[in-house]
Amino acid sequence: LARYAAELSVADPSKVLARGFATVALLPSLSAVTSARHVGGGARVRVTVTDGSFDCTVDEVSVRKEKAA
């Protein structure tokens, strides 16, 4: 049981943020940004980090080209 608790703890969103990761959501809907393709120049986004959040305007979007299989 302790092992499972430890595994769940690692996936705890607040602990993920504390490791330097962030979440990004479109404004005003707060829908999660899961791909650079979901955002365009001029879009407003909210970036959430371990101790708070800040709103930003996207200047430019770069999408990686997928490698051919």
Side-chain angles (χ1 to χ4, degrees), residues 35-51:
S35 170
R37 290 175 177 85
H38 296 162
V39 182
R44 298 278 300 147
V45 296
R46 176 163 296 153
V47 178
T48 301
V49 294
T50 191
D51 63 346

Side-chain angles (χ1 to χ4, degrees), residues 18-30:
R19 291 195 306 267
F21 290 89
T23 62
V24 181
L26 287 171
L27 291 174
S29 68
L30 296 179

